[in-house]
Amino acid sequence: MIEEKKSLNFLEQIIEEDLANGLSKEKLRFRFPPEPNGYLHIGHAASICLNFGLGLKYNAPVNLRFDDTNPAKEEQEYVDSIKHDVSWLGFKWDQERYSSDYFQQLYDWTLELIKEGKAYVDNQTSEEMAIQKGTPTETGTNSPNRDRTVDENLDLFLKMKNGEFEEGSHVLRAKIDMKHVNMHMRDPIMYRILKKHHHRTGSDWCIYPMYDWTHGESDYIEQISHSICTLEFKSHRDLYDWYVEQVYDSTNLRPKQREFARRNLSYTVMSKRKLLQLVEEGVVNGWDDPRMPTISGLRRRGYTPQSIRNFSDTAGISKRDNITDVALLEHCIKDDLNKTAPRVMAVLNPVKVVITNYPEDKEEWLTAENNQEDENAGFRKVPFSREIYIEKEDFREEANKKFFRLKLGKEVRLKNAYIIKAESCVKDEKGAITEIYCTYDEDSRSGSGTEASKRKVKGTLHWVSIKHAEKAEVRVYDRLFTDEAPDGHKEKDFKEFINPDSLTVMNAFVEPSLKSAQNLDRFQFQRLGYFCVDKDATKNRLVFNRTVPLRDSWAKIEK
RNA sequence: UGACCCAUGGUGUAAUGGUAGCACUCCGGUUUUUGGUAUCGUCAGUCAAGGUUCGAAUCCUUGUGGGUCAACCA
């Protein structure tokens, strides 16, 4: 047996190294730490798949921790949607935690720090403090309040906590080093006054800890072995370590922050701010608009959890800036749906075909295979009659040999039905074809086993019987932006690249078996693509979203 | 005029001192009652220059290019 060794990404290598250096496997613990102030997107999915993937790989617990230290922006609604998205992706967290669970512990530790002379209250304006902070190339200068006595600091901090000061008037700062080369180490703010209602702690607090003071300590409290975040936090690592050092007890594990590059996707934007802009300005119809790269958008678009997980695994993890081709994501969903989606027939752009030698009042229910990629998928019945719809693009009066479809005097196979030959057509005053007259070969019924049924004809078309067809609204989506990196242009706003044709609504006809389709049911409309039922559908109105089209090599030949 | 991070085909990633591999995309062949799928194949890469070494994508130096860092955001 050949043991194929799968290569490790750089984070797994770090973990393996730690294990080799004596860290016991039981101590491995991870977390996914979203801030509940927005919806998750495909970039978050990369982080979710990474952290939960490590949990699965090492059989280690993974906490879902909401980083809720800013009551001004955070809401229960986001907590709910995040939990839904993570579950939908198929991951199970060990514990559901909130940074706000640790407010008291953080406060107690802060008192200790103040007593040790490692933190002080500053009541300058933010402008004054910003000036003293210096720049990346110039060192900072000390605050005039830096040398307050411990008693003074304790007293002022207590007053901050008790709500005796106005918002913005005082902050608590860690006393580190205003000349430090890393700006985050220049006496960072630990607490600010915010007299706001918190979604979990209500009005218990009017001081709230900042991210840096909270995150590492939360990791420490939960004993997270590897705290994985994106690269922009790299320079926070010094501070993360400094804070953890203040409370670290050597009988415990010291968490380790490591950073990876966030995942970018071509032809879209990923920042919460820009996504929000698209929603607020009505470019899209909400966070779950199927054109959005949000998890909820992808879900509504018809993406499966498995396809998103496959995408994350295939795209991998590294430390370099990247723009992953959206074609890879599309490949992953096609690959998944090809194996699982039932095939059905739908005509998006219909033209009427009359089969002149088929009896007026006859109808047949023909047998159709649900999915030839899945032998357990079974069969269904599809009605056939004298008048059917086919796609307009599937007929031409004349065409060259490369056109395998219907043309005058030539034959094609109707999928699961008969071979027909086009005899004539009718056009309106503008020259558009309105009706096609065909004859059929009665002996050629699919699956009948006759000689005629086995005849090789080059083209096979999908169709629906007019009198049995269901009407359906079909929403055909294209990429939201016309540029591969819409926010990668310094001189141009990303909205200049919005694709005006990202949504086309079509009035389609679908086979009757689709009448009972439920929200999120996924299908392959044969020869067209993968589609799923949209939440806008009702009992009396079918609505489908096109998830992704099938590969279309004919379109290429045509060019 | 700083510190730190990064640099492998068009894209995303492997190879951690010993044959530059995989996936996507593109292009072509075969099969096909989906111009789908499957399958076979083609094109295509180590940022540059030095150095160390029998041997460098890998180690060192210097460049070049890209990114990050100065919210009472996370």
Coordinates of all heavy atoms in Angstrom, one line a residue, chain A residues 412-478:
Chain A
V412 N -33.1 16.0 -34.9 CA -32.5 16.0 -33.6 C -33.3 15.1 -32.7 O -34.4 14.7 -33.0 CB -32.5 17.4 -32.9 CG1 -31.5 18.4 -33.6 CG2 -33.9 18.0 -32.8
R413 N -32.6 14.7 -31.6 CA -33.3 13.9 -30.6 C -33.9 14.8 -29.6 O -33.2 15.7 -29.1 CB -32.2 13.0 -30.0 CG -32.6 12.4 -28.6 CD -33.5 11.2 -28.7 NE -33.0 10.1 -29.4 CZ -33.7 9.0 -29.7 NH1 -35.0 8.9 -29.3 NH2 -33.2 8.0 -30.4
L414 N -35.1 14.5 -29.2 CA -35.7 15.2 -28.0 C -35.3 14.3 -26.8 O -35.7 13.2 -26.8 CB -37.2 15.4 -28.2 CG -37.6 16.4 -29.3 CD1 -39.2 16.4 -29.3 CD2 -37.1 17.8 -29.0
K415 N -34.7 14.9 -25.9 CA -34.2 14.1 -24.7 C -35.3 13.3 -24.1 O -36.4 13.8 -23.9 CB -33.7 15.1 -23.7 CG -33.2 14.5 -22.4 CD -31.8 13.9 -22.6 CE -31.3 13.2 -21.3 NZ -30.1 12.4 -21.5
N416 N -35.1 12.0 -23.9 CA -36.1 11.1 -23.3 C -37.3 10.9 -24.2 O -38.3 10.3 -23.8 CB -36.6 11.6 -22.0 CG -35.4 11.8 -21.0 OD1 -34.6 11.0 -20.9 ND2 -35.5 12.9 -20.3
A417 N -37.3 11.4 -25.5 CA -38.5 11.3 -26.3 C -38.2 10.8 -27.7 O -37.5 9.8 -27.8 CB -39.2 12.6 -26.3
Y418 N -38.6 11.5 -28.7 CA -38.5 11.1 -30.1 C -37.5 11.9 -30.9 O -37.0 13.0 -30.5 CB -39.9 11.2 -30.8 CG -40.9 10.4 -30.2 CD1 -41.8 10.9 -29.2 CD2 -41.1 9.0 -30.6 CE1 -42.8 10.1 -28.6 CE2 -42.1 8.2 -30.0 CZ -42.9 8.8 -29.0 OH -43.9 8.0 -28.5
I419 N -37.2 11.3 -32.0 CA -36.4 12.1 -33.0 C -37.3 12.9 -33.9 O -38.4 12.3 -34.3 CB -35.5 11.1 -33.9 CG1 -34.5 10.4 -33.0 CG2 -34.9 11.9 -35.0 CD1 -33.8 9.3 -33.7
I420 N -37.1 14.1 -34.0 CA -37.9 15.0 -34.8 C -37.1 15.6 -36.0 O -35.9 15.7 -35.9 CB -38.6 16.1 -34.0 CG1 -37.6 17.0 -33.3 CG2 -39.6 15.5 -33.0 CD1 -38.2 18.3 -32.7
K421 N -37.9 16.0 -37.0 CA -37.2 16.7 -38.1 C -38.0 18.0 -38.4 O -39.2 18.0 -38.4 CB -37.4 15.8 -39.4 CG -36.6 16.3 -40.6 CD -37.2 15.7 -41.9 CE -36.3 14.7 -42.5 NZ -36.8 14.2 -43.8
A422 N -37.2 19.0 -38.6 CA -37.9 20.3 -38.8 C -38.3 20.4 -40.3 O -37.5 20.2 -41.2 CB -36.9 21.5 -38.5
E423 N -39.5 20.8 -40.5 CA -40.0 20.9 -41.9 C -40.2 22.3 -42.4 O -39.9 22.6 -43.5 CB -41.4 20.2 -42.0 CG -41.4 18.7 -41.4 CD -40.7 17.7 -42.3 OE1 -40.2 18.1 -43.4 OE2 -40.6 16.5 -42.0
S424 N -40.7 23.2 -41.5 CA -40.9 24.6 -41.9 C -41.1 25.4 -40.6 O -41.1 24.9 -39.5 CB -42.2 24.7 -42.7 OG -43.3 24.3 -41.9
C425 N -41.1 26.7 -40.8 CA -41.3 27.6 -39.7 C -42.1 28.8 -40.1 O -42.1 29.2 -41.3 CB -40.0 28.0 -39.0 SG -38.9 28.9 -40.1
V426 N -42.6 29.5 -39.1 CA -43.4 30.7 -39.3 C -42.7 31.8 -38.6 O -42.2 31.7 -37.5 CB -44.8 30.5 -38.6 CG1 -45.7 31.7 -38.9 CG2 -45.5 29.3 -39.1
K427 N -42.7 33.0 -39.3 CA -42.1 34.2 -38.7 C -43.0 35.3 -38.6 O -44.0 35.4 -39.4 CB -40.9 34.6 -39.6 CG -39.8 33.6 -39.6 CD -38.6 34.1 -40.4 CE -38.4 33.3 -41.7 NZ -37.2 33.7 -42.4
D428 N -42.8 36.2 -37.7 CA -43.6 37.4 -37.6 C -43.1 38.5 -38.6 O -42.1 38.2 -39.3 CB -43.7 37.9 -36.1 CG -42.3 38.4 -35.6 OD1 -41.4 38.6 -36.4 OD2 -42.2 38.5 -34.4
E429 N -43.7 39.7 -38.5 CA -43.3 40.7 -39.5 C -41.9 41.2 -39.4 O -41.3 41.6 -40.3 CB -44.3 41.9 -39.4 CG -44.4 42.6 -38.1 CD -45.2 41.8 -37.1 OE1 -45.8 40.7 -37.4 OE2 -45.3 42.2 -35.9
K430 N -41.3 40.9 -38.2 CA -39.9 41.4 -38.0 C -38.9 40.3 -38.3 O -37.7 40.4 -38.2 CB -39.7 41.7 -36.5 CG -40.3 43.1 -36.1 CD -40.0 43.4 -34.6 CE -40.8 44.6 -34.2 NZ -41.1 44.5 -32.7
G431 N -39.5 39.1 -38.7 CA -38.6 38.0 -39.1 C -38.2 37.1 -38.0 O -37.4 36.2 -38.2
A432 N -38.8 37.3 -36.8 CA -38.5 36.4 -35.7 C -39.4 35.2 -35.8 O -40.5 35.2 -36.2 CB -38.8 37.1 -34.4
I433 N -38.7 34.1 -35.5 CA -39.4 32.8 -35.7 C -40.4 32.6 -34.5 O -40.1 32.7 -33.4 CB -38.4 31.6 -35.7 CG1 -37.6 31.7 -37.0 CG2 -39.1 30.3 -35.6 CD1 -36.3 31.1 -37.0
T434 N -41.7 32.3 -34.9 CA -42.7 32.1 -33.9 C -43.2 30.7 -33.7 O -43.7 30.3 -32.6 CB -43.9 33.0 -34.2 OG1 -44.4 32.7 -35.5 CG2 -43.6 34.5 -34.1
E435 N -43.0 29.9 -34.7 CA -43.5 28.5 -34.7 C -42.6 27.7 -35.6 O -42.3 28.1 -36.7 CB -44.9 28.4 -35.1 CG -45.9 28.2 -33.9 CD -47.4 28.2 -34.4 OE1 -47.8 27.3 -35.1 OE2 -48.0 29.2 -34.1
I436 N -42.4 26.5 -35.1 CA -41.6 25.5 -36.0 C -42.5 24.3 -36.2 O -43.0 23.7 -35.2 CB -40.3 25.2 -35.3 CG1 -39.5 26.4 -35.0 CG2 -39.5 24.2 -36.2 CD1 -38.5 26.2 -33.9
Y437 N -42.6 23.9 -37.4 CA -43.3 22.6 -37.7 C -42.4 21.5 -37.9 O -41.4 21.6 -38.7 CB -44.2 22.8 -38.9 CG -45.3 23.8 -38.6 CD1 -45.3 25.2 -38.9 CD2 -46.5 23.3 -38.0 CE1 -46.3 26.0 -38.6 CE2 -47.5 24.2 -37.6 CZ -47.4 25.6 -38.0 OH -48.4 26.4 -37.6
C438 N -42.6 20.4 -37.2 CA -41.8 19.3 -37.3 C -42.6 18.0 -37.5 O -43.8 18.0 -37.3 CB -41.0 19.0 -36.0 SG -39.8 20.4 -35.6
T439 N -41.9 16.9 -37.9 CA -42.5 15.6 -37.9 C -41.7 14.7 -37.0 O -40.5 15.0 -36.8 CB -42.5 15.0 -39.3 OG1 -41.2 15.1 -39.9 CG2 -43.5 15.7 -40.3
Y440 N -42.3 13.7 -36.5 CA -41.5 12.8 -35.6 C -41.5 11.4 -36.1 O -42.3 11.0 -36.9 CB -42.0 12.9 -34.1 CG -43.2 12.0 -33.9 CD1 -43.1 11.0 -32.9 CD2 -44.4 12.1 -34.5 CE1 -44.1 10.1 -32.6 CE2 -45.5 11.2 -34.2 CZ -45.3 10.3 -33.2 OH -46.4 9.4 -32.9
D441 N -40.5 10.7 -35.7 CA -40.3 9.3 -36.1 C -40.9 8.5 -35.0 O -40.4 8.4 -33.9 CB -38.8 9.0 -36.2 CG -38.6 7.5 -36.6 OD1 -39.5 6.7 -36.5 OD2 -37.4 7.2 -36.9
E442 N -42.1 7.9 -35.3 CA -42.9 7.3 -34.2 C -42.2 6.1 -33.6 O -42.4 5.8 -32.4 CB -44.2 6.8 -34.9 CG -45.2 6.4 -33.9 CD -46.5 5.9 -34.6 OE1 -46.7 6.1 -35.8 OE2 -47.3 5.3 -33.8
D443 N -41.3 5.5 -34.3 CA -40.6 4.3 -33.7 C -39.3 4.7 -32.9 O -38.6 3.8 -32.4 CB -40.1 3.4 -34.9 CG -41.3 2.8 -35.6 OD1 -42.3 2.6 -34.9 OD2 -41.2 2.6 -36.8
S444 N -39.0 5.9 -32.8 CA -37.7 6.3 -32.2 C -37.8 6.7 -30.7 O -36.9 7.2 -30.2 CB -37.2 7.6 -33.0 OG -38.1 8.7 -32.7
R445 N -38.9 6.3 -30.0 CA -39.0 6.7 -28.6 C -37.9 6.2 -27.8 O -37.5 5.0 -27.9 CB -40.3 6.1 -28.1 CG -40.8 6.9 -26.8 CD -42.0 6.3 -26.2 NE -41.7 5.1 -25.4 CZ -42.3 3.9 -25.5 NH1 -43.3 3.8 -26.4 NH2 -41.9 2.9 -24.8
S446 N -37.3 7.0 -27.0 CA -36.2 6.7 -26.1 C -36.5 5.5 -25.3 O -37.6 5.5 -24.6 CB -35.8 7.9 -25.2 OG -35.3 8.9 -26.0
G447 N -35.6 4.6 -25.2 CA -35.8 3.4 -24.3 C -36.7 2.4 -24.8 O -36.9 1.3 -24.2
S448 N -37.3 2.6 -26.0 CA -38.2 1.6 -26.5 C -37.4 0.3 -27.1 O -38.0 -0.7 -27.3 CB -39.1 2.2 -27.6 OG -38.2 2.6 -28.7
G449 N -36.2 0.5 -27.4 CA -35.4 -0.6 -27.8 C -35.4 -0.9 -29.3 O -34.8 -1.7 -29.8
T450 N -36.2 -0.1 -30.0 CA -36.3 -0.3 -31.5 C -35.1 0.2 -32.2 O -34.3 0.9 -31.6 CB -37.5 0.5 -32.0 OG1 -37.3 1.9 -31.8 CG2 -38.8 0.1 -31.4
E451 N -34.9 -0.3 -33.4 CA -33.8 0.2 -34.2 C -33.8 1.7 -34.3 O -32.8 2.3 -34.1 CB -34.0 -0.4 -35.7 CG -33.5 -1.8 -35.9 CD -32.1 -2.0 -35.4 OE1 -31.2 -1.3 -35.8 OE2 -31.9 -2.9 -34.5
A452 N -35.0 2.2 -34.5 CA -35.1 3.7 -34.7 C -34.7 4.4 -33.5 O -34.1 5.5 -33.5 CB -36.5 4.1 -35.1
S453 N -35.0 3.8 -32.3 CA -34.7 4.5 -31.1 C -33.2 4.5 -30.8 O -32.7 5.3 -30.0 CB -35.4 3.8 -29.9 OG -34.7 2.6 -29.6
K454 N -32.5 3.7 -31.5 CA -31.0 3.6 -31.3 C -30.2 4.4 -32.4 O -29.0 4.4 -32.3 CB -30.6 2.1 -31.4 CG -31.1 1.3 -30.2 CD -30.7 -0.1 -30.3 CE -31.3 -1.0 -29.2 NZ -31.2 -2.4 -29.6
R455 N -31.0 5.0 -33.3 CA -30.3 5.8 -34.3 C -29.5 6.9 -33.7 O -29.9 7.5 -32.7 CB -31.3 6.4 -35.2 CG -31.9 5.4 -36.3 CD -33.1 6.0 -37.0 NE -32.8 7.4 -37.5 CZ -33.7 8.3 -37.6 NH1 -35.0 8.0 -37.3 NH2 -33.4 9.5 -38.1
K456 N -28.3 7.1 -34.3 CA -27.4 8.1 -33.8 C -27.8 9.4 -34.5 O -27.7 9.5 -35.7 CB -26.0 7.8 -34.0 CG -25.5 6.6 -33.4 CD -25.2 6.8 -31.9 CE -24.9 5.5 -31.2 NZ -25.0 5.6 -29.7
V457 N -28.3 10.4 -33.7 CA -28.4 11.7 -34.3 C -27.5 12.6 -33.4 O -27.4 12.5 -32.2 CB -29.9 12.2 -34.3 CG1 -30.6 11.7 -35.5 CG2 -30.6 11.8 -33.0
K458 N -27.0 13.6 -34.1 CA -25.9 14.3 -33.4 C -26.4 15.2 -32.3 O -25.8 15.3 -31.2 CB -25.2 15.2 -34.4 CG -23.9 15.8 -33.9 CD -22.9 14.8 -33.5 CE -21.7 15.4 -32.8 NZ -20.8 14.4 -32.2
G459 N -27.6 15.8 -32.5 CA -28.0 16.8 -31.4 C -29.1 16.2 -30.5 O -29.9 15.4 -30.9
T460 N -29.1 16.6 -29.3 CA -30.2 16.2 -28.3 C -30.7 17.5 -27.7 O -29.9 18.3 -27.2 CB -29.7 15.3 -27.2 OG1 -29.2 14.1 -27.9 CG2 -30.8 14.9 -26.3
L461 N -32.0 17.8 -27.7 CA -32.5 19.0 -27.2 C -33.4 18.7 -26.0 O -34.0 17.6 -25.9 CB -33.4 19.7 -28.2 CG -32.8 20.1 -29.6 CD1 -33.8 20.9 -30.4 CD2 -31.4 20.8 -29.4
H462 N -33.4 19.7 -25.0 CA -34.4 19.6 -23.9 C -35.7 20.3 -24.4 O -35.6 21.1 -25.3 CB -33.8 20.1 -22.6 CG -33.5 21.6 -22.8 ND1 -32.3 22.0 -23.3 CD2 -34.2 22.7 -22.4 CE1 -32.2 23.4 -23.2 NE2 -33.4 23.8 -22.8
W463 N -36.8 20.0 -23.7 CA -38.1 20.5 -24.2 C -39.1 20.4 -23.0 O -38.8 19.8 -22.0 CB -38.6 19.7 -25.4 CG -38.5 18.2 -25.0 CD1 -37.5 17.4 -25.1 CD2 -39.6 17.4 -24.4 NE1 -37.8 16.1 -24.6 CE2 -39.1 16.1 -24.1 CE3 -40.9 17.7 -24.0 CZ2 -39.8 15.1 -23.5 CZ3 -41.6 16.7 -23.4 CH2 -41.1 15.4 -23.2
V464 N -40.2 21.1 -23.2 CA -41.3 20.8 -22.3 C -42.6 20.8 -23.1 O -42.8 21.6 -24.0 CB -41.4 21.9 -21.1 CG1 -40.3 21.8 -20.2 CG2 -41.6 23.3 -21.7
S465 N -43.5 20.0 -22.6 CA -44.8 19.9 -23.3 C -45.6 21.2 -22.9 O -45.8 21.5 -21.7 CB -45.5 18.7 -22.8 OG -46.9 18.8 -23.1
I466 N -46.1 21.9 -23.9 CA -46.8 23.2 -23.6 C -48.0 23.0 -22.7 O -48.1 23.7 -21.7 CB -47.2 23.9 -24.9 CG1 -45.9 24.3 -25.7 CG2 -48.1 25.1 -24.6 CD1 -46.2 25.0 -27.0
K467 N -48.8 22.0 -23.0 CA -50.0 22.0 -22.1 C -49.8 21.5 -20.7 O -50.6 21.6 -19.9 CB -51.1 21.2 -22.9 CG -51.1 19.7 -22.8 CD -52.4 19.1 -23.3 CE -52.1 17.7 -23.8 NZ -53.2 17.1 -24.6
H468 N -48.6 20.9 -20.5 CA -48.3 20.4 -19.1 C -47.3 21.3 -18.4 O -47.1 21.1 -17.2 CB -47.7 19.0 -19.2 CG -48.6 18.0 -19.9 ND1 -48.4 17.7 -21.2 CD2 -49.5 17.2 -19.4 CE1 -49.3 16.8 -21.5 NE2 -50.0 16.5 -20.4
A469 N -46.8 22.3 -19.1 CA -45.7 23.1 -18.5 C -46.2 23.9 -17.4 O -47.3 24.4 -17.3 CB -45.1 23.9 -19.6
E470 N -45.3 24.1 -16.4 CA -45.5 25.1 -15.3 C -44.7 26.3 -15.7 O -43.6 26.3 -16.2 CB -44.9 24.5 -14.0 CG -45.7 23.3 -13.5 CD -47.0 23.7 -12.9 OE1 -47.2 24.9 -12.5 OE2 -48.0 22.8 -12.9
K471 N -45.3 27.5 -15.4 CA -44.6 28.7 -15.5 C -43.6 28.9 -14.3 O -44.0 28.5 -13.2 CB -45.5 29.9 -15.6 CG -46.3 30.0 -16.9 CD -47.1 31.3 -16.9 CE -47.9 31.3 -18.2 NZ -48.9 32.4 -18.2
A472 N -42.5 29.5 -14.6 CA -41.6 29.8 -13.5 C -40.8 31.0 -13.8 O -40.4 31.3 -14.9 CB -40.6 28.6 -13.3
E473 N -40.5 31.8 -12.7 CA -39.6 32.9 -12.9 C -38.2 32.4 -12.6 O -38.0 31.7 -11.6 CB -39.9 34.0 -11.9 CG -38.9 35.2 -11.9 CD -39.3 36.3 -10.9 OE1 -40.5 36.5 -10.6 OE2 -38.3 36.8 -10.3
V474 N -37.3 32.7 -13.6 CA -35.9 32.2 -13.4 C -35.0 33.4 -13.4 O -35.1 34.3 -14.3 CB -35.5 31.3 -14.5 CG1 -34.1 30.9 -14.4 CG2 -36.4 30.0 -14.5
R475 N -34.2 33.5 -12.3 CA -33.3 34.6 -12.1 C -31.9 34.2 -12.5 O -31.3 33.3 -11.9 CB -33.3 35.1 -10.7 CG -34.7 35.6 -10.3 CD -34.9 35.9 -8.8 NE -36.3 36.3 -8.5 CZ -36.7 36.5 -7.3 NH1 -35.9 36.3 -6.3 NH2 -38.0 36.9 -7.1
V476 N -31.5 34.8 -13.6 CA -30.1 34.4 -14.1 C -29.1 35.4 -13.7 O -29.2 36.6 -13.9 CB -30.2 34.3 -15.6 CG1 -28.8 34.0 -16.2 CG2 -31.1 33.2 -16.1
Y477 N -28.1 34.9 -12.9 CA -27.1 35.8 -12.4 C -25.8 35.7 -13.1 O -25.4 34.7 -13.6 CB -26.9 35.5 -10.9 CG -28.1 35.6 -10.1 CD1 -28.8 34.5 -9.7 CD2 -28.5 36.9 -9.7 CE1 -30.0 34.7 -8.9 CE2 -29.7 37.0 -8.9 CZ -30.4 35.9 -8.5 OH -31.5 36.1 -7.8
D478 N -25.2 36.9 -13.2 CA -23.8 37.0 -13.7 C -23.0 37.6 -12.6 O -23.5 38.1 -11.6 CB -23.8 37.8 -15.0 CG -22.6 37.6 -15.8 OD1 -21.7 36.9 -15.4 OD2 -22.5 38.2 -16.9

